[in-house]
Amino acid sequence: MEKLCSKLFVACNEGDVDETLSLLKMGADPNHVSSRGGFVGNFPVHAAARSKSLGCVVALCENMARLDLRRKDGWTALHNAVMRRDYEIVHYLLEQQPTLVLLKDKNGQSPLDLASSKSSVSDDIVELLKDKRRWCIENEDVS
């Protein structure tokens, strides 16, 4: 199982959707925390978001990946997608689990806080995060 999961991290990190799907079909755990190499403390969905592979993110979600899993620094896959300035992945993750916008890292920063502090993050991403945050608060959809 560990070997399958290690291969899954590599496939997600490389944005290889076909290999990701194949490994998931063989039983790789989409929620496995890595204890090897450059992926220590990460989850496959973090690697997929970091590699800007919407296809891998979707494949993981369709195979029960938990989007609220956090690295040791408190980051979720949404934090990664925001920092990679990937509107499509940010949008997809928020459609799957709107409350991700409310989750803060170890420094108390939400994905919106990160986006607002980086001039390189597009206004579209900032507005999307603001809209989803507002929606969560209005609907008291907090977790």
Side-chain angles (χ1 to χ4, degrees), residues 5-6 10 22 47 54 61-62 76 82 89 92 95-98 103 105 114 118 130 135 142:
C5 292
S6 292
V10 171
S22 176
L54 179 60
C61 287
E62 289 176 349
T76 64
V82 165
I89 293 178
Y92 180 80
E95 287 300 308
Q96 298 305 303
Q97 190 170 345
L103 299 181
D105 66 15
L114 286 175
K118 304 288 181 190
K130 284 180 181 178
W135 183 88
V142 293

Side-chain angles (χ1 to χ4, degrees), residues 49-52 79-87 121 125:
R50 190 172 48 251
S51 72
K52 301 176 84 168
H79 286 85
N80 278 334
V82 165
M83 292 309 292
R84 289 294 191 183
R85 300 174 294 284
D86 192 309
Y87 181 89
V121 175
I125 290 176

Side-chain angles (χ1 to χ4, degrees), residues 51-107:
S51 72
K52 301 176 84 168
S53 176
L54 179 60
C56 287
V57 171
V58 170
L60 291 163
C61 287
E62 289 176 349
N63 284 275
M64 308 305 289
R66 288 189 45 209
L67 300 178
D68 60 340
L69 294 174
R70 299 178 193 212
R71 302 183 328 197
K72 287 183 180 182
D73 61 5
W75 274 27
T76 64
L78 181 59
H79 286 85
N80 278 334
V82 165
M83 292 309 292
R84 289 294 191 183
R85 300 174 294 284
D86 192 309
Y87 181 89
E88 289 182 341
I89 293 178
V90 170
H91 184 267
Y92 180 80
L93 292 172
L94 289 172
E95 287 300 308
Q96 298 305 303
Q97 190 170 345
T99 56
L100 290 173
V101 74
L102 302 173
L103 299 181
K104 296 183 177 187
D105 66 15
K106 297 281 183 185
N107 295 320

Side-chain angles (χ1 to χ4, degrees), residues 127-142:
E127 287 307 311
L128 176 61
L129 292 165
K130 284 180 181 178
D131 289 344
K132 198 56 75 170
R133 181 180 178 276
R134 188 177 312 110
W135 183 88
C136 286
I137 291 170
E138 287 172 359
N139 290 286
E140 297 183 25
D141 190 5
V142 293

Side-chain angles (χ1 to χ4, degrees), residues 3-4 6-12 14-26 28 56 59:
K3 190 171 185 176
L4 275 180
S6 292
K7 288 181 178 182
L8 180 61
F9 280 98
V10 171
C12 290
E14 294 176 354
D16 188 338
V17 179
D18 291 335
E19 182 69 3
T20 296
L21 286 168
S22 176
L23 291 163
L24 289 166
K25 284 181 184 174
M26 287 191 281
C56 287

